[in-house]
Amino acid sequence: MEDLTCAFTGHRPSSYKFGYDEEHPDCCKLKALMTIQIVSLIENGVTTFLSGMALGADIWGAEIVLACKKQYPQKGIRLIAVLPCESQADRWSVEQRERYFNILAECDETVYISRHYTRDCMFRRNRWLIDHANFVLAVYNGSTKGGTAYTINYAYEKKRAVIIIDPDTLTVLPYTIRVNNES
């Protein structure tokens, strides 16, 4: 049986109504919706999860997967960190860096797209995530600009199943695959 894989993508918390306040009821609901989707993916055969380890949805997804690994040890769940560069967390707060490195220590594997920061390392990380995933769980507000929009469009181009959780309305768009009729 094929190893099914899911990648995470999402906006940074600064673009959410609740910002970095993870105790905010809307953030708690968002994480609960992510948990429901991740558990459903596991129940449907997804065993490998890919996190770009950016602040927000990537980190939350990684933490949820680590909790699921403990809850469902028989499922063989794996978490792979896909980092744009070694210095990704250098400018984060001490607390954010501590959280990041604690997650990295529990990952099954770490992939570095580039050892050093380059102008396109984030872009190449996002493409790598989609190129290696069957599913994408996106925390996405519908904005047409930015890395999350690019990543979702690339996922549709690659015919990946995309599940979208809107952080503003807290609604889930079950997975969709866009088919381009022009080809």
Side-chain angles (χ1 to χ4, degrees):
M1 189 169 102
E2 181 190 358
D3 179 36
L4 294 177
T5 302
C6 176
F8 301 119
T9 190
H11 307 290
R12 299 307 151 260
S14 56
S15 70
Y16 302 146
K17 291 185 291 191
F18 49 81
Y20 287 85
D21 180 4
E22 292 188 45
E23 302 302 315
H24 190 284
D26 286 349
C27 185
C28 295
K29 287 178 193 167
L30 176 59
K31 288 184 191 179
L33 290 171
M34 288 180 71
T35 301
I36 290 166
Q37 295 305 313
I38 290 168
V39 169
S40 177
L41 287 162
I42 291 167
E43 288 172 350
N44 285 287
V46 174
T47 56
T48 302
F49 291 85
L50 308 173
S51 175
M53 294 296 290
L55 293 171
D58 290 11
I59 294 280
W60 302 333
E63 289 174 333
I64 293 164
V65 169
L66 290 174
C68 287
K69 281 180 70 157
K70 291 180 177 88
Q71 191 174 348
Y72 307 102
Q74 73 282 8
K75 297 279 189 183
I77 299 166
R78 293 172 20 93
L79 176 61
I80 299 173
V82 182
L83 308 181
C85 59
E86 289 179 353
S87 60
Q88 176 170 331
D90 284 1
R91 294 185 176 161
W92 297 2
S93 71
V94 171
E95 184 181 289
Q96 290 167 335
R97 281 199 312 270
E98 194 171 289
R99 186 178 188 181
Y100 174 86
F101 287 113
N102 286 340
I103 295 167
L104 283 181
E106 291 191 63
C107 285
D108 296 285
E109 189 180 332
T110 301
V111 173
Y112 290 96
I113 299 304
S114 176
R115 288 288 170 193
H116 304 284
Y117 176 82
T118 62
R119 282 186 14 203
D120 69 342
C121 66
M122 306 278 183
F123 167 81
R124 289 188 298 129
R125 184 262 326 262
N126 294 345
R127 287 179 71 96
W128 194 100
L129 288 166
I130 301 309
D131 288 341
H132 293 83
N134 305 97
F135 296 89
V136 178
L137 179 56
V139 177
Y140 177 58
N141 63 12
S143 165
T144 57
K145 290 191 167 78
T148 301
Y150 170 82
T151 303
I152 290 169
N153 286 329
Y154 184 67
Y156 283 135
E157 184 183 311
K158 292 292 188 175
K159 308 281 190 277
R160 302 303 189 252
V162 180
I163 303 161
I164 295 175
I165 302 174
D166 186 313
D168 297 331
T169 62
L170 297 171
T171 55
V172 178
L173 178 63
Y175 79 76
T176 55
I177 301 172
R178 289 199 185 144
V179 178
N180 184 348
N181 294 328
E182 296 169 17
S183 44

